[in-house]
Amino acid sequence: MKAPRFAYARPASIAEALALLQKHGDDARVLAGGQSLVPMMNFRVAAPKVLVDINRIGSLTGIKVTKSFVRIGALARHVEVERSADVAKHLPLVAAAMPHVAHPAIRNRGTFGGSCALGDPAAELPACTLALGATFVVAGKKGERRIAAQDFFKGLYATALKPGELLVAAEFPLPKPGYASAFGELARRHGDYAMVGVAAHGLRKVGKFSDMRVAFFGVGDRPQRASGFERALEGQSAVDGALAKLDADLEPRADLHASAAMKLHLAKVLADRVLGGLAA
Amino acid sequence: MNAPLETVEIEVTVNGERMKRSVPARVNLADFLRNELELTGTHLGCEHGVCGACTVRVDGEIVRSCLMFAAQADGCKVDTVEGLSDSREIEELQSAFVLTNALQCGFCTPGVLMAAQALLRDETNPTRERIREYLSGNYCRCTGYQAIVDAIEAVAKARAGR
Amino acid sequence: MSEFDETARTLLFDAPNSYVGRSVTRPNARRLTQGRGQYVDDIVLPRMLNVAYVRSPHAHAKIVKIGTKKAAAMPGVMRIVTGAEIAMVCKPYVGVLTHLQGMRSPPQYTLAVDVARWQGEPVVAVVAQSRAEAEDAVEMVEIVYEELPAALDAERALDPSEPKIHPEFDSNLCFQRTVDTGGVDAAMSSAHLVVEDTIRFGRHTGVTMEPRAIVADYNPAEESMTVYHCGQSPHMMQGIIASRLSLDEHRVRIVVRDVGGSFGIKIHTYGDEIAACALSLMLGRPVKFAADRYESFLSDIHARDHRVKARLAVDRDGNMTALEIDDLTGVGPYSMFPRSSGVECNQILNLTGGPYKHKEYRAKGTVVFQNKNMMCQYRAVGHPIAVAVAEHMVDQAAAKLRIDPAEMRRRNLIPDDAYPCKSPSGMRFEALSHQRCLEKLLALMKYDELRGEQAELRKKGVYRGIGLSSFIEVTNPSPMFYGVGGARIAAQDGCTIKLDASGAIVAATGVTEQGQGTETIMAQIAATALGVEMSCVKVLTGDTDKVPYGGGTWASRAAGIGGEAVLQAGLALKHNILEAGAVILKTNASDLDIADGKVVRKGTEQGITLAELARICYYRGNELPVDFQPELVVTRHYRVKDYAFVFSNGAQGCSLEVDPDTGFVKLLKMWCVDDCGRVINPKLVEEQARGGIVQGIGGALYEHCLYDERGQLLNATMADYLVPMAAEMPDIECAHVETPTKTSMLGAKGAGEAGTGGAPAAIMNAVNDALRPLGAKVTSQPITPEMVLRALGKVN
């Protein structure tokens, strides 16, 4: 399973990277952590003629806290996010998700931006961006633009990134006071892509849910917020009354390990357990 | 800015030895180590990053060498099981592995040792459960894992006791 | 029965300097921890080429046209060869054993000729400078296929309307057999209770960490071939390669160094490997084939694809009176050469219910061809199914009669004093210890406490399950296993042992090492026989030029058969050494012994070191009497004569928890009590049990080769095919019972497969034990969360 031949470029800046992507169009792919792209190349299901290695572009790295945001650079390695005190403090949902992302050796190379740009429906981080209302910062030939996470994940391995664009960072609004997070996933083996997962963020005062954002992953062809379920939770102290809304909210897709009916069932069980434990 | 190249010049330090090489862009780090440098202690079990047999250390952190192109290792420090053996860095772990029979065929072992060393560097006295969790990125088909956990636990306890 | 002195053998093995029974560490382990293993893919020979294969994308298709022009022009490509071209230098093979009466299979070519019969079958060979260049060219080979209807459903395989895979046969039947004691119907109709069930086992595969690999080096000047391989039976391979390529067998040398796991996967004859040998012959240069993981999933043998219908008759007191099974298995489009794809089914017929006292038994086995990957022997061949079926039925009957499963087994296991005896299927048992193993297991598990805890937790809605299994295991096979059926697979084994000129011991054995510790235990046995330290003993394995003709490692034969040959050779060498010592020390050989590497007068420390004795014998023959010639190289062989197989036995237990809302099964702990006869190295036996049990866990809960309705394998990656990983595995407690066999002086039986044979049964019984109060049951493996929830009616 040897990767097919390709030409390799290692731009030193975002501008250089964009120029390469512009020049080579569909022939080029961005190489970040490589933990998803390289297996695809080894299987020869991806055969880019040009690989644009962005790993040395400093402006894509880093985790920064400003007055209103936590900004995670697209090149922030999973391990950095996992060990970041800022993330633990301000984005406990992401901190809770990190140990479930693959395994340590993968986390040492895999990147935040890579995971989001790939759009795997069973990945943890895209669901966290949905639950926390993050905004993606994207660089293109016309300059920078921002895309809300809500509008970013379009379908199976499909995002709102246009050809020639580069994901630069994700900005997470600092959580409002009193807001809490809960995360859970079911996987056959630790580190596997989730059979079903849920990332939730919101308020629970005196046991009652409010302003909940609940994102499911591993269920459909993309991470999805369950808006009917979220609305039904408003003002409730227990979860089970709202679970029926998931029938309409979610579009479960069968995969090798679970039928659509199984996915829906597990989504309900997991939602009940994870949200039941929110700020408990 | 240089045009994309099919052959890349790299300067890399492998097991403490600095070297310059010309590599086809497509060659991954595992194949570079095994074929170009004849360091065959790093093994290929799946070539898609799942089994862990190819685990090496790049700039001090464990990575899947089958998921990194040699071209990306330019300017990096790479350590393989041979280097960690010759420097005696993992001697304690190796002895523990022999004692508890934490290896049978030995194919997964270099990767497991890499992961074990990374764990013990970052955490003192991990529980058996934590060891199992950390090691879940390394497949072993022979031992059933228990002897591996025993060996790592023993070394962790010995180091914690010092 | 074999003749030997019971007292002598006890003295030998219980002596203070005996290594038998000691958990010594493996001398060859250290280098493996340093990355100094020598696996086939590590081997590079001058002018070596690499081959990659174009493989059929279809389950069943005519190969209409092969276009190689574009591929041949690719960089680095040396030669492109079709199946028809290889067939000109390489004969096809037929995987049939004549003692499996009526078995049939057509000749199979290394690469498909005219028709491809499974997705993944190799069709065209591309030989290039590097594997990467070969793969580049593989993509450019243009093949026109005409898809044919595929036979993919074993239940329908014999329907006249199903696609017939081989036009020369009247159906897709490969092999059929029935066993019948004659009284099953009567027993069933007069039974107090008959329980019935259909149990399914999912096809799965070995996933050795080192994929299959071979380097073939043909020397045209000598018409000789050296093959670097990772197989378990080098002599068998020597014969196969020689006969297929029309080479003189003694000019073919197989060299096996380190093997990255095999478990039976690397014991079979693979077209892509034999073709690599043929290519080396054609090109006059070394050719390497190293399978990648994707092609491993597509072409390593699969196993254990069975549907078994079972009925068990029980009397009022819970005694089993009759057992009936109907086993259907779909293999590949050919029966695998040379061990045949009928053995797994045959074992199931022979072994199901083996531990129990019932007298009446009827079993029908049907093996059908399918357009799926080849299927053949994989660790514990057939046992996981035979044991799971019987143990499931025993538990079902116990539940209906409200008898505790442990008590049910106590009542029905063959008593330990009933031996020798015969099973209703005709299996002869020398001496087993089912009752003793069960009691030891229950004590180890603290069974009553577990039951108490289970009851308490059920009140809180926590569903724990406790499962038991009792099993027999085929080990130490006689020629009745393969040789009798025409296969050139040795059941005998030999050891050539010598005292070399420096006084060290070198033992060459025909059994092989795949990491289980073969070399270590042979050294332990040799050192014990001779009275020397293990550090003076070197063991040679795996090179057909250097070791006596043997069978290699399979059916758990290395310790019992290989070990006995080493023991006999060692004792014979000791005899010769003492003779030489007697001459040198001018005394009688009967007054001498060897202790701590020295030939000494018994009861004293006076004598001569082996090094000194060797020096005199090898260099100073002038100091010896003219009529005395020392023979310090001895060869002995051994085969099992008294029984077809020497069975081992044991009992396993499993404690787990089922989450009734998610269907997830969490393994809490497992136990294994194994009686493998005389234990040579307890630690190695325990580690074999643990590794084997985890493979059994794989089959019971995780592993499944998933095919779609077009015969495409859907999960040919490590991410999608679920091999057990560390976080989900329990600690496994092991204990031993020793009933040495009298078929050899060593008394050792095999231990490598018992873990895998007994584990799936214990797990399935535990899951059903957990689900019983909820009125649900699973009868299929792997037991997935969805299967559990469907059984509970929570998912439709």
Side-chain angles (χ1 to χ4, degrees):
Chain A
M1 277 168 51
K2 307 300 175 191
R5 288 166 55 189
F6 61 87
Y8 173 84
R10 193 194 300 144
S13 67
I14 294 178
E16 272 185 51
L18 290 176
L20 280 161
L21 292 176
Q22 176 71 9
K23 175 166 184 200
H24 296 283
D26 285 341
D27 282 348
R29 291 278 299 249
V30 168
L31 174 65
Q35 306 302 284
S36 299
L37 178 62
V38 181
M40 293 202 290
M41 291 175 68
N42 290 347
F43 271 108
R44 295 189 182 230
V45 297
K49 295 206 175 65
V50 175
L51 264 199
V52 179
D53 177 357
I54 60 170
N55 283 282
R56 310 284 171 113
I57 301 178
S59 53
L60 293 174
T61 64
I63 300 166
K64 257 201 328 253
V65 183
T66 69
K67 267 216 305 254
S68 6
F69 295 112
V70 177
R71 182 182 164 110
I72 300 182
L75 270 188
R77 309 273 174 203
H78 293 316
V79 67
E80 287 173 60
V81 176
E82 187 183 359
R83 292 178 183 166
S84 161
D86 289 330
V87 170
K89 179 169 175 198
H90 300 293
L91 304 178
L93 182 64
V94 174
M98 292 321 294
H100 295 272
V101 176
H103 303 288
I106 305 282
R107 294 202 290 272
N108 283 335
R109 294 290 301 170
T111 64
F112 195 93
S115 177
C116 294
L118 176 67
D120 190 306
E124 291 83 2
L125 293 174
C128 291
T129 64
L130 277 183
L132 294 174
T135 303
F136 291 108
V137 180
V138 173
K141 67 177 178 200
K142 295 200 195 123
E144 239 181 39
R145 67 185 180 111
R146 277 168 165 68
I147 311 173
Q150 195 63 29
D151 304 320
F152 189 79
F153 301 102
K154 296 292 191 196
L156 191 63
Y157 302 112
T159 68
L161 282 174
K162 294 208 187 79
E165 285 188 320
L166 195 62
L167 190 56
V168 170
E171 288 172 344
F172 292 82
L174 290 175
K176 303 195 192 108
Y179 276 58
S181 307
F183 179 90
E185 76 171 57
L186 289 167
R188 291 302 313 272
R189 304 172 306 175
H190 178 79
D192 280 353
Y193 277 117
M195 268 176 94
V196 164
V198 66
H201 181 77
L203 199 54
R204 197 170 187 191
K205 271 213 309 232
V206 206
K208 292 204 203 311
F209 295 104
S210 175
D211 197 19
M212 292 303 303
R213 298 171 70 97
V214 184
F216 289 85
F217 56 101
V219 180
D221 67 353
R222 77 198 90 157
Q224 264 185 297
R225 275 179 62 191
S227 35
F229 176 63
E230 289 170 357
R231 283 195 296 273
L233 280 174
E234 191 68 37
Q236 298 301 313
S237 342
V239 183
D240 49 4
L243 291 173
K245 298 290 186 192
L246 290 175
D247 290 341
D249 282 346
L250 298 176
E251 294 153 12
R253 219 176 120 257
D255 63 20
L256 280 176
H257 303 297
S259 65
M262 174 72 169
K263 295 259 188 197
L264 185 59
H265 171 87
L266 288 181
K268 290 179 182 169
V269 171
L270 197 60
D272 192 25
R273 290 182 186 180
V274 170
L275 285 155
L278 181 75
Chain B
M1 184 190 62
N2 295 325
L5 297 167
E6 283 214 8
T7 306
V8 180
E9 304 300 312
I10 62 171
E11 211 175 293
V12 60
T13 304
V14 180
N15 296 329
E17 193 186 320
R18 246 174 71 188
M19 57 186 72
K20 279 189 176 154
R21 287 290 194 277
S22 208
V23 297
R26 71 170 333 167
V27 170
N28 65 44
L29 182 58
D31 282 331
F32 173 74
L33 293 168
R34 288 177 53 76
N35 301 331
E36 177 68 24
L37 302 183
E38 297 173 320
L39 291 164
T40 56
T42 301
H43 300 139
L44 285 172
C46 75
E47 295 180 291
H48 44 287
V50 182
C51 77
C54 71
T55 306
V56 299
R57 220 158 57 182
V58 173
D59 289 343
E61 302 289 348
I62 53 168
V63 304
R64 306 286 201 228
S65 60
C66 72
L67 297 189
M68 216 174 134
F69 295 108
Q72 295 180 271
D74 182 30
C76 295
K77 279 185 58 198
V78 179
D79 298 307
T80 70
V81 67
E82 291 93 338
L84 266 57
S85 298
D86 290 346
S87 71
R88 303 177 65 183
E89 184 186 329
I90 54 170
E91 192 173 43
E92 236 181 325
L93 273 170
Q94 287 164 320
S95 294
F97 270 51
V98 172
L99 205 63
T100 69
N101 207 59
L103 67 144
Q104 292 185 23
C105 79
F107 201 78
C108 75
T109 307
V112 171
L113 286 167
M114 284 280 166
Q117 179 64 353
L119 170 64
L120 294 181
R121 184 199 64 185
D122 291 344
E123 297 181 32
T124 44
N125 235 350
T127 62
R128 288 179 73 84
E129 215 177 75
R130 173 63 181 147
I131 294 169
R132 282 183 179 278
E133 186 185 82
Y134 196 93
L135 275 207
S136 60
N138 288 81
Y139 281 52
C140 176
R141 202 51 162 159
C142 293
T143 67
Y145 303 106
Q146 186 170 336
I148 296 175
V149 178
D150 291 344
I152 296 171
E153 187 186 34
V155 174
K157 284 200 158 92
R159 287 189 190 175
R162 285 201 289 269
Chain C
M1 185 57 66
S2 302
E3 295 291 317
F4 56 80
D5 187 336
E6 184 71 51
T7 316
R9 89 172 179 171
T10 311
L11 273 175
L12 176 65
F13 300 132
D14 293 349
N17 64 349
S18 162
Y19 283 95
V20 172
R22 281 172 53 182
S23 293
V24 296
T25 59
R26 291 169 51 214
N28 59 354
R30 182 162 299 279
R31 68 182 170 76
L32 296 177
T33 67
Q34 295 180 358
R36 290 177 182 273
Q38 290 188 306
Y39 304 92
V40 174
D41 193 35
D42 299 340
I43 294 169
V44 175
L45 298 179
R47 305 186 69 231
M48 188 178 78
L49 298 168
N50 287 271
V51 61
Y53 293 98
V54 182
R55 293 181 181 271
S56 170
H58 304 296
H60 198 192
K62 259 197 216 137
I63 301 164
V64 176
K65 202 164 111 177
I66 299 175
T68 60
K69 235 170 91 179
K70 274 198 200 141
M74 296 284 286
V77 173
M78 297 299 296
R79 195 78 175 254
I80 303 190
V81 184
T82 65
E85 289 169 315
I86 300 233
M88 297 201 292
V89 303
C90 184
K91 297 187 202 133
Y93 30 82
V94 179
V96 162
L97 291 171
T98 56
H99 70 294
L100 296 183
Q101 290 196 15
M103 169 175 271
R104 62 187 184 179
S105 184
Q108 183 179 12
Y109 292 86
T110 59
L111 307 189
V113 177
D114 295 336
V115 181
R117 294 187 168 92
W118 83 86
Q119 181 222 6
E121 184 175 9
V123 178
V124 171
V126 175
V127 185
Q129 296 286 350
S130 68
R131 169 78 186 199
E133 287 167 315
E135 289 188 21
D136 292 342
V138 159
E139 286 194 312
M140 303 303 284
V141 174
E142 294 165 314
I143 303 184
V144 177
Y145 292 99
E146 182 194 309
E147 268 187 85
L148 299 168
L152 300 168
D153 183 351
E155 298 279 359
R156 294 206 321 260
L158 299 180
D159 292 355
S161 57
E162 269 300 275
K164 232 171 17 150
I165 298 177
H166 302 296
E168 65 266 49
F169 292 157
D170 60 352
S171 77
N172 291 321
L173 182 68
C174 170
F175 173 60
Q176 204 162 48
R177 183 184 163 215
T178 40
V179 175
D180 194 346
T181 52
V184 167
D185 290 329
M188 292 281 173
S189 49
S190 64
H192 168 69
L193 171 72
V194 173
V195 285
E196 232 175 280
D197 232 333
T198 300
I199 305 129
R200 291 184 163 77
F201 299 87
R203 185 181 254 253
H204 53 285
T205 184
V207 194
T208 58
M209 286 314 301
E210 174 206 27
R212 293 181 299 107
I214 194 165
V215 174
D217 182 9
Y218 180 67
N219 182 339
E222 291 179 352
E223 293 177 28
S224 69
M225 183 176 285
T226 304
V227 179
Y228 299 88
H229 198 217
C230 47
Q232 295 173 219
S233 290
H235 284 104
M236 182 197 79
M237 280 308 288
Q238 178 189 31
I240 289 170
I241 290 170
S243 67
R244 297 308 92 196
L245 296 178
S246 306
L247 297 169
D248 289 334
E249 191 164 319
H250 65 284
R251 283 193 234 281
V252 174
R253 176 183 175 199
I254 311 293
V255 178
V256 179
R257 297 191 182 134
D258 292 309
V259 176
S262 184
F263 322 113
I265 301 302
K266 295 170 180 167
I267 208 173
H268 303 289
T269 301
Y270 291 92
D272 47 27
E273 294 176 18
I274 305 298
C277 298
L279 290 165
S280 179
L281 180 72
M282 290 160 77
L283 293 164
R285 287 168 70 165
V287 172
K288 174 190 275 189
F289 167 61
D292 62 35
R293 184 54 60 188
Y294 181 64
E295 54 189 338
S296 292
F297 276 116
L298 289 182
S299 60
D300 284 0
I301 53 106
H302 292 176
R304 317 221 214 281
D305 191 348
H306 288 257
R307 179 276 287 139
V308 183
K309 295 184 187 167
R311 294 168 73 212
L312 176 65
V314 185
D315 73 14
R316 202 166 292 275
D317 298 319
N319 296 306
M320 294 159 59
T321 56
L323 177 65
E324 173 165 27
I325 63 165
D326 180 340
D327 174 36
L328 172 68
T329 177
V331 297
Y334 302 91
S335 172
M336 195 102 186
F337 177 76
R339 294 171 189 258
S340 97
S341 300
V343 171
E344 194 174 80
C345 173
N346 201 44
Q347 298 262 76
I348 290 166
L349 301 190
N350 283 341
L351 306 174
T352 305
Y356 297 104
K357 286 189 305 199
H358 57 286
K359 292 280 181 278
E360 300 299 336
Y361 179 64
R362 184 165 58 208
K364 176 176 163 203
T366 309
V367 180
V368 298
F369 295 118
Q370 293 193 282
N371 290 114
K372 294 179 182 172
N373 186 21
M374 303 287 290
M375 218 167 88
C376 212
Q377 279 78 305
Y378 163 43
R379 194 176 196 172
V381 187
H383 292 69
I385 292 150
V387 177
V389 167
E391 295 303 298
H392 173 79
M393 300 309 285
V394 167
D395 264 26
Q396 292 301 303
K400 285 239 160 64
L401 295 174
R402 298 185 189 283
I403 301 174
D404 176 86
E407 175 57 29
M408 185 76 180
R409 284 164 177 82
R410 271 192 204 102
R411 287 186 203 180
N412 284 286
L413 287 170
I414 298 171
D416 290 352
D417 61 2
Y419 299 96
C421 65
K422 216 159 96 163
S423 79
S425 60
M427 299 293 103
R428 289 173 56 233
F429 302 130
E430 176 204 3
L432 302 177
S433 59
H434 288 297
Q435 300 280 2
R436 207 166 130 208
C437 285
L438 176 66
E439 294 312 321
K440 193 157 186 168
L441 175 74
L442 296 172
L444 206 60
M445 286 171 78
K446 299 198 175 77
Y447 183 77
D448 294 334
E449 272 180 46
L450 279 178
R451 284 286 179 208
E453 188 182 42
Q454 178 186 44
E456 282 307 304
L457 288 169
R458 267 185 195 158
K459 294 177 194 159
K460 300 180 187 159
V462 174
Y463 294 90
R464 294 264 171 102
I466 301 158
L468 302 173
S469 75
S470 283
F471 58 88
I472 54 173
E473 185 75 35
V474 166
T475 82
N476 298 3
S478 71
M480 294 306 289
F481 207 123
Y482 287 119
V484 68
R488 293 173 69 97
I489 298 166
Q492 58 80 33
D493 232 283
C495 172
T496 300
I497 194 166
K498 66 179 179 185
L499 179 75
D500 77 5
S502 70
I505 304 293
V506 181
T509 166
V511 294
T512 52
E513 169 84 68
Q514 292 82 39
Q516 69 278 72
T518 307
E519 286 175 16
T520 302
I521 61 174
M522 298 305 141
Q524 288 178 254
I525 294 166
T528 301
L530 285 156
V532 301
E533 291 215 359
M534 240 177 96
S535 54
C536 311
V537 179
K538 174 166 148 173
V539 176
L540 300 175
T541 65
D543 186 335
T544 56
D545 266 9
K546 294 186 186 163
V547 307
Y549 198 101
T553 295
W554 46 274
S556 301
R557 68 187 293 277
I561 296 178
E564 180 68 7
V566 170
L567 178 63
Q568 295 300 333
L571 291 172
L573 177 62
K574 179 177 178 179
H575 170 87
N576 289 8
I577 290 172
L578 295 184
E579 293 238 315
V583 158
I584 293 168
L585 296 171
K586 298 187 178 19
T587 180
N588 296 317
S590 54
D591 294 334
L592 296 174
D593 198 358
I594 306 177
D596 296 328
K598 209 166 160 184
V599 176
V600 292
R601 294 172 206 277
K602 278 186 185 160
T604 78
E605 280 178 23
Q606 297 162 13
I608 180 176
T609 64
L610 287 175
E612 180 62 15
L613 185 147
R615 188 187 70 87
I616 294 169
C617 290
Y618 279 103
Y619 303 117
R620 303 296 289 261
N622 53 299
E623 295 177 17
L624 298 171
V626 270
D627 59 350
F628 180 73
Q629 175 56 51
E631 286 295 353
L632 300 176
V633 183
V634 171
T635 299
R636 286 292 181 274
H637 290 83
Y638 173 72
R639 71 185 192 283
V640 176
K641 298 176 276 288
D642 314 290
Y643 285 87
F645 324 107
V646 179
F647 282 91
S648 72
N649 71 276
Q652 287 191 33
C654 173
S655 166
L656 49 76
E657 196 170 296
V658 177
D659 183 329
D661 294 313
T662 63
F664 274 62
V665 171
K666 185 176 157 78
L667 296 169
L668 299 173
K669 192 147 179 205
M670 291 185 69
W671 299 262
C672 179
V673 177
D674 191 41
D675 183 348
C676 61
R678 188 179 318 281
V679 174
I680 298 158
N681 186 321
K683 177 66 168 163
L684 294 185
V685 168
E686 286 155 27
E687 290 308 310
Q688 280 295 85
R690 291 192 175 103
I693 285 170
V694 170
Q695 277 190 314
I697 292 172
L701 296 177
Y702 293 99
E703 299 181 45
H704 200 172
C705 296
L706 297 166
Y707 277 90
D708 71 7
E709 68 286 348
R710 290 175 54 232
Q712 302 284 305
L713 184 60
L714 295 172
N715 57 340
T717 79
M718 294 286 236
D720 298 319
Y721 178 95
L722 306 177
V723 166
M725 294 158 85
E728 290 72 39
M729 292 303 102
D731 278 350
I732 300 166
E733 208 175 319
C734 300
H736 309 273
V737 168
E738 288 186 62
T739 309
T741 173
K742 296 192 161 89
T743 58
S744 70
M745 182 168 181
L746 182 61
K749 303 179 187 180
E753 296 172 274
T756 308
I763 293 166
M764 193 157 89
N765 277 350
V767 171
N768 283 328
D769 186 58
L771 295 177
R772 196 157 288 120
L774 300 168
K777 178 178 71 168
V778 295
T779 52
S780 228
Q781 295 183 12
I783 301 166
T784 61
E786 178 147 3
M787 187 182 296
V788 171
L789 292 185
R790 282 183 188 274
L792 288 166
K794 296 194 174 174
V795 169
N796 292 313

